[in-house]
Amino acid sequence: MRSLIDVTDFSVDELYSLIHTANDIIENPKKYAEACKGKKLATLFFEPSTRTRLSFEAAMLELGGSVLGFSEASSSSAAKGESIADTAKVVSCYADIIAMRSPIEGAALVASQNASVPVINAGDGGHCHPTQTLADLLTIYREKGGFDNLTIGYCGDLKYGRTVHSLLGAMSRYKNVKAVLISPKELSLPDYVKHDVLEKSGMEYQETASLEDAIPSLDVLYMTRIQRERFDDKDEYERLKDSYVLTVQKLQSAKENMCILHPLPRVNEISVKVDDDRRACYFKQALYGKYMRMALILKLLDEANANAVREDRFADKDIIYDTHKCSNPKCACASQQELRHACKRSENGILRCVYCDKEVR
């Protein structure tokens, strides 16, 4: 039985299959109206969300299933001190599949190792957000016709931006894709993503602090907000929050067929006047997220019916236990006392925490 923790859990062929299913759902919605009749989705949202939670709920309802769950940690037993592992075991008794969002990096992985049903990572802190990436991929596919030979600009918060990390991982598997990383130095892409995603795959990339200089070469511009909730230092947030604002004027030098994406919510990093530009695709992107989540739910439930054996990510003989401690305070192993510290050596020899991917020394 499989879960989706990171978008690279699925092969390129599997991603194309999801896109095919999503496109078929768009064209033939009645065909899928009772595909999940009698099935229940549990939405465990320990962190505020509008689009992702409602998208999952709409996806399951439109498949003929039902939804149960909570939308904030204070309304769950986590407020009483229940562990992620115990929550996953209990909720597995009531639901056929789980969608989970948490500010704890690695939380969805912990849940998947303890649940008896598939778990979907709906965002784990600043780590990754694979179902947003599924929405991104469907949007790019429908707008650009494919994934090869694209230059994609990632602008804003690249340090904490889990959507950026996930999309880079997905795009690193296609041909002749170039990344332009646009951010202030303080919010630049983490070294582990550069090493383990970009350099490992051989993806060409460049870093710049200037959105204006980058725009003319881009086929896709992926804007992100500066995320207040990820900052421990609020003064630093205030200093950086208005680093980039996309305006109609800045778009004058962009390609006529450039695609503008944003995972939302938007604060002020895209002027509302840009919404009328035909290159603005971020509201389509939100809609496409529902269709890709429908396709994902179908896939995982079908596989769960065919194979009830839980996938064990810790069966890898190369995992090192307890000899190195992760120092990331937002990692699951920092708050979940029952977890063993576990790390794995990447191809460049650096030890990474299994839960949050941060370097372990």
Side-chain angles (χ1 to χ4, degrees), residues 179-218:
V180 181
L181 308 175
I182 310 159
S183 73
K185 184 177 180 180
E186 296 89 340
L187 295 176
S188 63
L189 193 71
D191 287 341
Y192 80 88
V193 180
K194 293 178 189 175
H195 293 154
D196 294 355
V197 177
L198 305 183
E199 293 170 8
K200 179 180 176 181
S201 67
M203 181 190 287
E204 183 182 351
Y205 72 94
Q206 69 178 74
E207 296 180 272
T208 179
S210 173
L211 174 59
E212 291 85 346
D213 289 348
I215 276 183
S217 67
L218 303 180

Side-chain angles (χ1 to χ4, degrees), residues 140-153:
I140 293 171
Y141 186 84
R142 289 176 68 90
E143 294 296 318
K144 307 303 293 185
F147 304 115
D148 295 338
N149 307 310
L150 295 176
T151 298
I152 303 179

Side-chain angles (χ1 to χ4, degrees), residues 163-174:
T163 59
V164 169
H165 303 169
S166 290
L167 184 56
L168 281 168
M171 295 305 301
S172 70
R173 299 190 289 182
Y174 299 102

Side-chain angles (χ1 to χ4, degrees), residues 58-356:
M60 192 58 165
L61 293 172
E62 290 184 27
L63 290 170
S66 55
V67 180
L68 60 145
F70 53 83
S71 59
E72 56 183 23
S74 61
S75 61
S76 76
S77 290
K80 304 174 184 177
E82 184 174 56
S83 68
I84 294 169
D86 283 0
T87 297
K89 290 173 184 176
V90 170
V91 174
S92 295
C93 299
Y94 311 135
D96 300 286
I97 187 167
I98 294 170
M100 179 177 179
R101 168 170 284 193
S102 172
I104 299 172
E105 298 178 8
L109 174 56
V110 175
S112 72
Q113 292 297 314
N114 290 276
S116 56
V117 299
V119 173
I120 301 171
N121 183 3
D124 59 337
H127 186 217
C128 59
H129 194 349
T131 64
Q132 177 61 53
T133 303
L134 297 182
D136 302 341
L137 290 175
L138 181 59
T139 310
I140 293 171
Y141 186 84
R142 289 176 68 90
E143 294 296 318
K144 307 303 293 185
F147 304 115
D148 295 338
N149 307 310
L150 295 176
T151 298
I152 303 179
Y154 302 83
C155 181
D157 180 1
L158 309 190
K159 180 179 181 180
Y160 301 110
R162 58 192 174 192
T163 59
V164 169
H165 303 169
S166 290
L167 184 56
L168 281 168
M171 295 305 301
S172 70
R173 299 190 289 182
Y174 299 102
K175 296 178 181 178
N176 195 31
V177 175
K178 179 180 178 180
V180 181
L181 308 175
I182 310 159
S183 73
K185 184 177 180 180
E186 296 89 340
L187 295 176
S188 63
L189 193 71
D191 287 341
Y192 80 88
V193 180
K194 293 178 189 175
H195 293 154
D196 294 355
V197 177
L198 305 183
E199 293 170 8
K200 179 180 176 181
S201 67
M203 181 190 287
E204 183 182 351
Y205 72 94
Q206 69 178 74
E207 296 180 272
T208 179
S210 173
L211 174 59
E212 291 85 346
D213 289 348
I215 276 183
S217 67
L218 303 180
D219 300 300
V220 178
L221 173 59
Y222 197 89
M223 294 294 296
T224 65
R225 70 185 172 93
I226 309 299
Q227 303 174 88
R228 181 187 320 180
E229 65 271 25
R230 304 293 174 219
F231 281 77
D232 295 323
D233 185 342
K234 299 308 178 185
D235 289 337
E236 184 180 31
Y237 165 75
E238 290 296 329
R239 182 169 57 84
L240 296 171
K241 67 178 183 179
D242 296 323
S243 296
Y244 299 102
V245 179
L246 182 65
T247 63
V248 172
Q249 290 73 27
K250 290 177 183 176
L251 284 173
Q252 290 178 358
S253 62
K255 295 179 180 178
E256 288 299 315
N257 64 347
M258 186 182 76
C259 174
I260 305 168
L261 302 183
H262 191 304
L264 303 177
R266 166 178 60 183
V267 182
N268 66 341
E269 59 278 357
I270 299 179
S271 166
V272 294
K273 294 181 179 180
V274 174
D275 296 353
D276 296 326
D277 193 297
R278 61 187 178 81
R279 292 168 287 192
C281 298
Y282 28 89
F283 293 116
K284 286 184 188 178
Q285 185 183 356
L287 175 60
Y288 291 154
K290 179 186 70 173
Y291 296 123
M292 283 298 269
R293 290 179 177 105
M294 291 172 76
L296 175 64
I297 289 168
L298 289 172
K299 176 180 176 61
L300 292 179
L301 286 177
D302 285 347
E303 292 190 4
N305 290 335
N307 178 13
V309 178
R310 183 187 302 150
E311 182 183 31
D312 186 2
R313 286 168 173 257
F314 292 90
D316 194 319
K317 61 181 177 60
D318 294 328
I319 289 181
I320 303 167
Y321 289 100
D322 298 328
T323 58
H324 300 79
K325 184 176 181 180
C326 179
S327 60
N328 177 12
K330 297 178 181 179
C331 180
C333 60
S335 60
Q336 306 298 302
Q337 301 301 318
E338 78 283 2
L339 291 184
R340 298 178 66 185
H341 290 280
C343 61
K344 187 175 180 181
R345 196 176 301 278
S346 61
E347 289 189 3
N348 60 5
I350 296 175
L351 290 175
R352 303 279 181 205
C353 175
V354 169
Y355 302 100
C356 69

